[in-house]
Amino acid sequence: MRGAITLPDIQDSVIISKPLEEVFSYAANMDNSSKIMQNVVAIEKLTEGPVQVGTKFKETREIRGRQASSIIEFIEFLPNERYVVQSEANGLKVIYHYDFKPTVEGGTKVHFQGDIHTSGIVMKLTKPIIRKILKKEDGDHLSQLKKLLEGTAEEEETETKE
């Protein structure tokens, strides 16, 4: 169907009580990936210079006791506004969109959307499983980002969701 609106495979939003520039800077710094996403065990920058469209990182995750690496590439980068990263391997392309907007109170609203694209019969058949795994791994990483930036990461999760 042409023109049909497809829902994202994963999405989440959070409001962080920190200024936009601080939130964007921390989130877009891939060195912080292992603090934000629990399965990321290593991150290595592969390109020189500042982060921009085309910047690549090698990300290693531990998935069910095994390590798997993929190349993460910035395909869109608008400082303090939006960035989009993608990884592609073995017929699986994952695109993560991040949008940042200032709130009236001086905080930052972060919206995340993850899209999973598959090619090949095996990947198409396993897409529901891949979606479930990624949702479990990355579905709540914005709440972890919020805790890190607001300094509540060490505290018990007794707070209620907004």
Side-chain angles (χ1 to χ4, degrees):
M1 242 170 61
R2 290 198 172 270
I5 296 173
T6 57
L7 294 173
D9 292 296
I10 315 168
Q11 66 178 337
D12 193 17
S13 291
V14 70
I15 293 175
I16 300 173
S17 300
K18 290 287 180 181
L20 175 69
E21 295 78 12
E22 184 180 337
V23 175
F24 184 90
S25 173
Y26 192 91
N29 180 347
M30 291 293 113
D31 289 335
N32 294 324
S33 296
S34 60
K35 296 175 199 154
I36 299 168
M37 297 182 178
Q38 65 182 24
N39 294 76
V40 175
V41 293
I43 192 91
E44 175 190 353
K45 191 172 183 201
L46 301 175
T47 51
E48 295 293 318
V51 172
Q52 60 190 345
V53 171
T55 299
K56 293 182 182 179
F57 289 83
K58 178 182 176 184
E59 178 189 81
T60 304
R61 291 177 177 232
E62 191 163 301
I63 304 162
R64 297 183 177 172
R66 296 201 342 239
Q67 289 196 352
S69 295
S70 62
I71 304 300
I72 309 287
E73 180 179 0
F74 278 82
I75 58 171
E76 198 175 322
F77 190 81
L78 299 165
N80 301 321
E81 193 177 319
R82 171 182 175 83
Y83 71 88
V84 180
V85 292
Q86 81 172 12
S87 67
E88 199 169 349
N90 305 321
L92 173 66
K93 178 163 55 171
V94 180
I95 302 174
Y96 280 6
H97 307 257
Y98 294 88
D99 288 288
F100 300 79
K101 301 235 183 312
T103 64
V104 185
E105 301 80 23
T108 305
K109 180 175 183 176
V110 184
H111 180 73
F112 157 72
Q113 175 179 319
D115 297 317
I116 303 165
H117 303 276
T118 54
S119 60
I121 189 71
V122 173
M123 277 300 178
K124 285 191 187 304
L125 291 172
T126 57
K127 183 176 178 178
I129 297 162
I130 294 164
R131 181 186 298 123
K132 189 175 180 183
I133 290 169
L134 286 176
K135 238 180 198 170
K136 185 175 186 282
E137 282 185 13
D138 297 346
D140 67 344
H141 72 283
L142 289 188
S143 60
Q144 180 63 16
L145 175 66
K146 176 181 172 75
K147 288 181 205 165
L148 287 164
L149 286 169
E150 292 180 352
T152 59
E154 310 309 296
E155 296 174 18
E156 289 297 312
E157 284 192 62
T158 53
E159 64 198 63
T160 56
K161 292 257 183 197
E162 291 178 25

